[in-house]
Amino acid sequence: MDFGRFIQFIASGTAYTLGVTLIALPSGLLIGLVLAFVAVYGGKLIGKFMDVYSTVLRGIPPIVLLFILYFVMSGTVNLSPFWAGSISLGIISSAYQMEIFRGAILSVSGEQMMAARAVGMSKMQAIRYVVLPQMIRLAIPSWSNEAAIVIKDSSLVYAIGVPEILRRAQLISASTQEPFLAYITAALIYFTLVFITNRVLGRVERKLTIPANP
Amino acid sequence: MSKPILTVKQLTKRYGSNTIFENIDLTVNEGDTIVIIGPSGTGKSTLLRCLNLLTKPDGGQIWLDELEITAKGTDEDHVRQHIGMVFQNFLLFNHLTALENVKLGLVRVKHMPEKEAETKALEELTRVGLADRAGHYPGQLSGGQQQRVGIARALAMDPRVMLFDEPTSALDPELIGEVLEVMRKLALDGMTMVVVTHEMGFAREVADRIVFMEKGSIVEEGSPDDLFYHPKYDRTREFLWKITELYGKKEAQT
């Protein structure tokens, strides 16, 4: 097998890697964001429940959770490994993202919420127009870190047979006896993806920066 | 005889077994400036926050005009529209410019069209002397300017009454004057105001009535002359003497 086709074989897994990431990250974002607001504003009991959700999900290795969620899902709704894996990673990420957003909400809320209510805004309006725009800005640095983690964790779905980068590297390493070259290629692709993502989010962060914000 | 805008009867607030204030009676008439003074920790700020329902009182009643706002089923958001509040730490929305800070309530709460809201917001900024800072973010403004934007934000809603919670306590001495000047002008224009402050010069000059609070109750209230020159209680005299001594030097500069 010539070098070009060797690289191409692994690189064609990028589509799956991106696919898994682009499902897991936004679904984790959506769930995490909603749960964070519910945790902060939903009262004590719900807050406790959210604590349990996040503590449990963050206390188990992602690969173990992936297997559990995969077998639960494939047993009940008959999803393909690609979808089951992506959604599982999204659920796992939602716990981490919830903590990021919860922290950001707590550091904005309180006084800003009070100021918004004093003008006559409802709680929902205050969240929408005052808390949310500020907490998103605060959350971006930690969130881009989480985005990098999800890109890297997308490699875990190789274990349930999704032909993404790592899976392909493993296959071709076995058939060509070139493990070093195979895994270095995989590593370089992952690194490039993470690097670009961090750069883009860094730019977004700078763009959203509020001048001279105390 | 002017009519009461805020009427407070037997108002009580507790946190657990800790009583913040008890059985407060207070009437604020249209156009009045009431200044509340007293040592820190006597519940002045909490009282102010109860007046616009940011904090729920545990007992007693409050009327805004003829409407009992402590009654069950009161639309609190609607009540707060009509009661402006200015905070010690300004509490501007940090992600918005001065103009947007003033505009937000107009657009979202009063549902005013963008253009109209912008004109109105600019008017209010002009009123506090900050039209040229409309595009600045809070972080780009001095404390005194931030507080004036805070006042403009509250004024923009055309409130029935304005509450000021130690509006100058977080300011550097040289910035206090500009904020007090705006407040003085407001009072002269006939705005109804309830002000918690330690600025005795302002109290003496602008207040129609001064209320001296201590340990969760009103010790004494009356005209500035009554309280400064003929206080009924030694405690009032003592406090005023101490606070004038403390703040007198600063006032001499402003």
Side-chain angles (χ1 to χ4, degrees):
Chain A
M1 189 184 262
D2 68 82
F3 186 66
R5 281 187 54 207
F6 183 94
I7 302 285
Q8 204 193 359
F9 181 79
I10 299 173
S12 62
T14 309
Y16 285 96
T17 296
L18 286 178
V20 171
T21 306
L22 289 178
I23 294 165
L25 201 55
S27 54
L29 171 75
L30 200 69
I31 302 172
L33 200 56
V34 170
L35 293 188
F37 276 107
V38 170
V40 174
Y41 297 113
K44 268 204 185 105
L45 194 71
I46 293 178
K48 280 261 165 6
F49 186 76
M50 292 304 149
D51 279 343
V52 174
Y53 177 85
S54 119
T55 311
V56 168
L57 283 187
R58 292 181 305 137
I60 300 168
I63 185 87
V64 178
L65 270 173
L66 180 67
F67 280 131
I68 294 171
L69 291 169
Y70 172 60
F71 287 118
V72 169
M73 269 190 246
S74 56
T76 50
V77 281
N78 193 24
L79 284 172
S80 69
F82 171 78
W83 279 100
S86 303
I87 294 169
S88 301
L89 287 177
I91 292 171
I92 295 164
S93 177
S94 75
Y96 292 90
Q97 296 195 44
M98 173 185 133
E99 291 301 340
I100 292 171
F101 295 135
R102 170 148 68 175
I105 294 169
L106 286 175
S107 63
V108 173
S109 199
E111 294 198 318
Q112 288 282 311
M113 174 58 92
M114 183 164 72
R117 298 304 300 275
V119 182
M121 278 186 232
S122 68
K123 207 169 182 175
M124 284 309 283
Q125 284 179 318
I127 289 173
R128 164 78 184 78
Y129 300 114
V130 175
V131 178
L132 187 72
Q134 294 187 65
M135 68 75 93
I136 288 290
R137 288 175 166 94
L138 279 181
I140 290 176
S142 315
W143 194 83
S144 50
N145 196 35
E146 174 62 15
I149 289 172
V150 172
I151 293 174
K152 291 181 285 180
D153 278 0
S154 74
S155 62
L156 296 176
V157 298
Y158 95 99
I160 52 177
V162 180
E164 45 70 73
I165 297 169
L166 179 60
R167 177 78 177 157
R168 283 165 176 269
Q170 198 185 31
L171 287 172
I172 205 160
S173 133
S175 64
T176 60
Q177 303 298 317
E178 292 279 10
F180 182 74
L181 191 59
Y183 292 121
I184 271 289
T185 306
L188 276 175
I189 299 172
Y190 282 119
F191 178 80
T192 310
L193 293 177
V194 169
F195 186 78
I196 293 170
T197 306
N198 280 342
R199 273 300 172 92
V200 169
L201 287 171
R203 189 164 291 182
V204 172
E205 185 190 344
R206 277 194 299 281
K207 197 144 202 179
L208 292 180
T209 299
I210 299 156
N213 198 17
Chain B
M1 185 72 200
S2 49
K3 61 177 186 134
I5 287 194
L6 272 179
T7 313
V8 176
K9 282 205 176 121
Q10 301 286 299
L11 203 69
T12 300
K13 177 68 193 173
R14 295 190 184 86
Y15 284 117
S17 60
N18 190 10
T19 301
I20 308 299
F21 55 77
E22 205 165 19
N23 299 331
I24 299 283
D25 290 314
L26 188 70
T27 307
V28 183
N29 287 322
E30 185 154 32
D32 272 4
T33 298
I34 310 282
V35 170
I36 303 177
I37 60 173
S40 46
T42 43
K44 305 182 302 283
S45 293
T46 311
L47 174 62
L48 224 52
R49 273 166 209 191
C50 280
L51 292 184
N52 70 348
L53 307 176
L54 277 179
T55 299
K56 279 221 165 37
D58 294 303
Q61 292 160 295
I62 305 169
W63 285 264
L64 174 65
D65 292 314
E66 274 93 47
L67 181 77
E68 194 203 328
I69 60 175
T70 38
K72 269 211 171 91
T74 303
D75 181 353
E76 294 176 13
D77 301 331
H78 191 74
V79 168
R80 287 194 204 101
Q81 266 189 59
H82 300 288
I83 305 180
M85 185 149 202
V86 174
F87 299 92
Q88 183 175 354
N89 303 320
F90 331 133
L91 304 191
L92 296 183
F93 307 131
N94 290 320
H95 63 304
L96 300 176
T97 62
L99 187 78
E100 290 164 340
N101 261 278
V102 182
K103 217 175 83 175
L104 189 66
L106 295 174
V107 176
R108 299 300 170 193
V109 178
K110 289 205 153 182
H111 305 292
M112 207 180 259
E114 282 283 332
K115 269 265 157 9
E116 198 182 324
E118 189 143 338
T119 312
K120 169 91 171 150
L122 205 56
E123 266 172 37
E124 297 300 344
L125 283 179
T126 309
R127 197 159 155 191
V128 298
L130 286 174
D132 58 330
R133 293 286 186 275
H136 285 56
Y137 286 88
Q140 299 168 314
L141 298 171
S142 73
Q145 291 170 334
Q146 287 188 55
Q147 191 58 296
R148 281 146 70 198
V149 175
I151 294 172
R153 176 175 71 182
L155 281 176
M157 303 301 286
D158 290 324
R160 297 285 293 144
V161 50
M162 290 273 286
L163 311 177
F164 292 83
D165 185 9
E166 302 204 26
T168 57
S169 297
L171 291 174
D172 291 335
E174 76 267 22
L175 302 176
I176 292 177
E178 58 187 78
V179 173
L180 290 182
E181 191 46 46
V182 167
M183 291 169 62
R184 198 170 287 145
K185 224 172 70 191
L186 268 183
L188 285 178
D189 287 348
M191 175 57 75
T192 312
M193 302 172 26
V194 182
V195 185
V196 172
T197 187
H198 293 298
E199 295 295 333
M200 290 304 136
F202 177 84
R204 201 165 0 191
E205 190 191 334
V206 182
D208 295 291
R209 241 162 59 222
I210 297 180
V211 175
F212 173 52
M213 256 180 98
E214 190 176 46
K215 292 180 189 141
S217 39
I218 292 177
V219 176
E220 184 169 354
E221 65 172 292
S223 72
D225 273 359
D226 288 345
L227 260 79
F228 277 97
Y229 303 114
H230 321 284
K232 274 186 242 148
Y233 298 92
D234 284 348
R235 196 53 205 108
T236 313
R237 190 197 312 275
E238 233 169 79
F239 176 78
L240 281 171
W241 187 81
K242 219 190 263 171
I243 208 91
T244 311
E245 169 95 333
L246 209 72
Y247 282 76
K249 288 179 195 130
K250 205 161 72 186
E251 270 174 26
Q253 290 169 1
T254 53

